[in-house]
Amino acid sequence: MTKQTVTTLGVASLYFMIVASVMVYAFVSVRSQKADALALATTLAEQTSKQSVARTVATTIESTAALREEVSTYFLEEKETISFITEIEGLAGVLGVTIETTALDMTKTAEGRPELKTGFAVKGTRAAVLRFMEAIETLPYHSRIAALQVTGEGNEWRGQVDIFVTIKP
C-alpha cells in the first residue's frame, strides 16, 4: 500500500468515525426527546381530562340550578323559623283549630345537621283536628314527625304533634 492510500484510508476512517459519532449522538438525542415528548403528551392528556371534567361539572351546576333552588325551598334557614311557626299558626286558624306551641328548640341530628324541634297542641272538632294533622304530615318542608297523637270524644278533640324540620346547613 502506498503512502497516499494509507493517508486516504486514515482520512476516510476519521470521517467514518466522525459521521458515526454524530449519528450516535443524534440517535441518543432523539431518544431523550422522545421520552420528554411522551411526558408532555401525558401531561397534556391529563390537563385535557381535567378541563373536560371541569366543563362537565360547570354544565351540571348550570343545568341543575333550578332543581337545586326547588329542593332548597324544602329546607328552612334559621332566619325563617319564625315564619314557619307563623305559617303553622295561620294554617291552624284556616282549619278551625286552636293551637299552642308546646316545644321550640334548635337541635342536631345524629349526623350533626341542625333541626328545628317544634311541638304543637291543638283543640277543635274531630274533623278539624284530623285535617290539621293531615296538613302537618304533608308540609312542604324536609321534616320528620317524632310523635302524633289525637284523642277526644264528641265535639272536643285534642291533638299533639312533635315535628323536626331540617335547617339548611
Side-chain angles (χ1 to χ4, degrees):
M1 282 215 267
T2 66
K3 188 175 180 178
Q4 188 177 7
T5 307
V6 171
T7 305
T8 305
L9 188 59
V11 169
S13 295
L14 183 63
Y15 281 143
F16 177 75
M17 281 200 248
I18 290 173
V19 168
S21 296
V22 168
M23 294 292 278
V24 167
Y25 174 75
F27 180 72
V28 169
S29 275
V30 167
R31 234 175 184 206
S32 72
Q33 287 178 358
K34 177 183 175 186
D36 291 344
L38 288 175
L40 287 173
T42 302
T43 303
L44 181 62
E46 288 173 359
Q47 290 299 324
T48 303
S49 174
K50 288 177 183 177
Q51 285 176 342
S52 174
V53 168
R55 276 192 296 268
T56 302
V57 167
T59 302
T60 302
I61 288 172
E62 205 173 283
S63 67
T64 61
L67 294 173
R68 286 183 288 117
E69 183 64 32
E70 181 181 341
V71 167
S72 71
T73 62
Y74 297 107
F75 293 90
L76 284 178
E77 292 185 16
E78 280 190 64
K79 64 184 180 192
E80 298 172 330
T81 55
I82 298 301
S83 65
F84 171 74
I85 301 298
T86 305
E87 186 177 330
I88 296 296
E89 289 172 347
L91 177 66
V94 168
L95 295 176
V97 294
T98 58
I99 187 168
E100 177 187 342
T101 303
T102 58
L104 186 59
D105 191 20
M106 292 296 289
T107 62
K108 292 204 180 268
T109 63
E111 295 84 28
R113 291 189 310 269
E115 287 184 317
L116 175 66
K117 176 187 177 186
T118 56
F120 301 104
V122 294
K123 294 180 199 171
T125 65
R126 179 179 185 268
V129 170
L130 290 177
R131 274 195 316 266
F132 179 79
M133 292 301 176
E134 287 174 2
I136 288 291
E137 288 176 342
T138 59
L139 282 174
Y141 295 101
H142 184 265
S143 61
R144 63 183 171 89
I145 296 177
L148 179 79
Q149 185 178 35
V150 177
T151 59
E153 58 184 59
N155 249 4
E156 186 65 30
W157 284 75
R158 296 177 185 273
Q160 174 66 38
V161 63
D162 294 327
I163 309 167
F164 290 85
V165 181
T166 304
I167 304 294
K168 281 185 194 175

